[in-house]
Amino acid sequence: MASARRAVTTRRTRPATRPPEGTPAPAELARQARSVLADAVRIARWAAVERGPAAARSVPEARQRAAAALDLTPEKVRAGWDRARLAGLIEMHGDAARPGWRLHAWDRDDMAVLRGWVALFDAWSLAHPAPADVAPTAVAEVVEAVPQVLSLLQLSAGPVATETLLDLLQQRVAELREERCEVPPATTEPAKAEPAKAEPAGTAAGEVPVSALLDWSLEGLASVGALTLDRGQATLTPLGNWAVWVKLEQICVAAQSPAGNIEQSAEDMLRGCARLTPGPARAEYRAWIAARTVAGAVGELLGVARGEDALLRGLAFEALRVVGAPAEAEVRAAAGEPSLRPYALLWLAEYDGADPEDAADVLTREEATWLWVDTAAAVADHGEPQLLLRHLDSAVQGTVPALIEEVRAGGHPRTVQVLVALAAAHPDPALAKAVRRAAFQVHTGGV
């Protein structure tokens, strides 16, 4: 895969940026996220073992039992349960709750913890529902406008008065309404002699003031640990500051991608990432996957892997490594397909804890040879002859004649093209002639 990536990587790649100065290290951010989600983790672990015959028969009963077992109030149990689901600590399968993959990794994987907290951060309006008497359209407008509020808080790098935030929120809500060509409702009767009282700024007749929805949104963001409120001011927490920076970086990556990768199909996204080095590419994969359901993303990536482009096949499995545990079942199933089997076996070996440098030991000689041909096809399609010669060093066979013999027996559909490209690139005339003869024999079906 490294050979294939070198075939299309140039020096003109976007350098990885660093978080704002003063941002705590990932380990410290993860510690803070674990603190925010401590009750949710306790409830998730309690629910993971409550599956026996004595398990509660209803949600209210389960909450009562959890409250008693964990010494929490029913209200805290309800809130913790919602957070556990939103953070991926619990997965619902029908009426049954099962521990999510993040719960298994909670104590050992800081990035899994941070991704779980970001999932909760993204769903703050679900974790802190709006008042029942507020129109859903008004709530939706504010939720859509809140990222601008968060951006201002992040850029300010300190406390911001709620009056300032209210001005920004009202302006953004007005812009959203204008974009939808909404006109404030007019009165049905002519004006009376006594003038009517003016509506509060940002409010149409009969609506809840935007100021009240600002209070709700700030309280919701504070409830998930993204900011703090004090004396009419709001301040992002280190976690909140880091999360907003991550979101802004994702937007910048999407804007600077060759075709807006994050919004593209899996195939176009992978083509856009082909020129990136592994680190920035993984960041792009994460952003692309986060914008979709996990099942949908995995299905799209495997669909591309089944195509004819060997480079995209390898990149698809690199993206699946970012998905992690939720992709395991689909990858195991893919191991039954000859064209995907070597990639799937390597993915599963690394998932089970094997060192990437040793993962190839799980492949048979035939599978390793098939993978060599597939990668050579990617290099031949996208790279230069010198890279194909370097790729020879990664073959398990010790000599070119032995490699030719086993490649011919492997049955890879791109065998002829790879041998022709190798013959054209090899500087040894005798070996080049032997490789060309082998390509002709495979093409004609000869021995």
Side-chain angles (χ1 to χ4, degrees), residues 293-307:
T293 64
V294 173
V298 171
E300 279 195 61
L301 290 170
L302 286 175
V304 174
R306 294 184 178 98

Side-chain angles (χ1 to χ4, degrees), residues 29-331:
L29 290 170
R31 185 194 67 76
Q32 295 176 18
R34 287 186 176 99
S35 177
V36 171
L37 285 163
D39 285 348
V41 170
R42 291 180 63 200
I43 293 168
R45 286 175 172 160
W46 176 85
V49 298
E50 286 291 304
R51 303 184 200 165
R57 298 181 180 179
S58 67
V59 171
E61 183 183 347
R63 286 175 179 162
Q64 291 293 337
R65 292 186 59 192
L70 302 174
D71 194 25
L72 296 172
T73 65
E75 291 73 20
K76 284 191 174 183
V77 169
R78 183 184 299 107
W81 174 265
D82 289 342
R83 291 180 177 208
R85 292 185 63 183
L86 294 171
L89 298 168
I90 292 173
E91 295 176 357
M92 298 302 297
H93 297 263
D95 294 331
R98 298 179 185 174
W101 71 271
R102 286 195 179 111
L103 185 62
H104 297 300
W106 198 253
D107 292 330
R108 57 180 172 80
D109 188 339
D110 288 345
M111 290 311 299
V113 172
L114 290 174
R115 286 194 293 269
W117 182 84
V118 168
L120 176 64
F121 168 74
D122 288 339
W124 65 267
S125 60
L126 300 179
H128 186 70
D133 59 348
V134 179
T137 52
V139 173
E141 288 173 343
V142 169
V143 171
E144 189 175 352
V146 157
Q148 278 70 29
V149 172
L150 291 169
S151 296
L152 175 59
L153 285 166
Q154 201 261 351
L155 291 171
S156 299
V160 178
T162 54
E163 290 86 351
T164 303
L165 300 178
L166 178 58
D167 289 342
L168 176 61
L169 186 64
Q170 289 174 329
Q171 178 182 346
R172 182 57 184 150
V173 167
E175 290 172 353
L176 292 171
R177 291 176 179 173
E178 184 177 353
E179 289 170 5
R180 288 192 289 268
C181 299
E182 291 185 7
V183 180
T187 57
T188 57
E189 297 182 5
K192 305 296 183 182
E194 185 176 333
K197 293 182 179 179
E199 292 287 346
T203 308
E207 292 185 356
V208 173
V210 172
S211 58
L213 291 175
L214 173 66
D215 292 341
W216 161 72
S217 61
L218 293 179
E219 290 167 2
L221 290 163
S223 72
V224 298
L227 54 79
T228 58
L229 299 170
D230 182 41
R231 299 177 184 176
Q233 294 181 322
T235 309
L236 285 178
T237 63
L239 269 176
N241 187 65
W242 170 79
V244 175
W245 173 79
V246 168
K247 298 296 179 183
L248 291 173
E249 278 298 294
Q250 289 176 356
I251 293 171
C252 290
V253 169
Q256 295 185 24
S257 295
N261 294 334
I262 295 172
E263 299 178 356
Q264 299 302 313
S265 66
E267 179 174 345
D268 290 340
M269 180 274 293
L270 293 173
R271 290 191 188 281
C273 292
R275 293 185 181 275
L276 300 177
T277 52
R282 280 192 294 271
E284 191 91 335
Y285 301 150
R286 289 191 186 98
W288 184 86
I289 292 164
R292 291 155 179 80
T293 64
V294 173
V298 171
E300 279 195 61
L301 290 170
L302 286 175
V304 174
R306 294 184 178 98
E308 297 182 357
D309 194 321
L311 175 64
L312 297 187
R313 185 161 27 256
L315 293 177
F317 275 87
E318 284 192 14
L320 287 168
R321 286 178 173 84
V322 173
V323 178
E328 180 185 3
E330 293 292 337
V331 173

Side-chain angles (χ1 to χ4, degrees), residues 404-426:
I404 293 174
E405 181 179 353
E406 294 188 29
V407 164
R408 290 175 55 185
H412 193 289
R414 296 293 304 279
T415 297
V416 172
Q417 291 90 336
V418 166
L419 290 176
V420 169
L422 183 58
H426 208 287

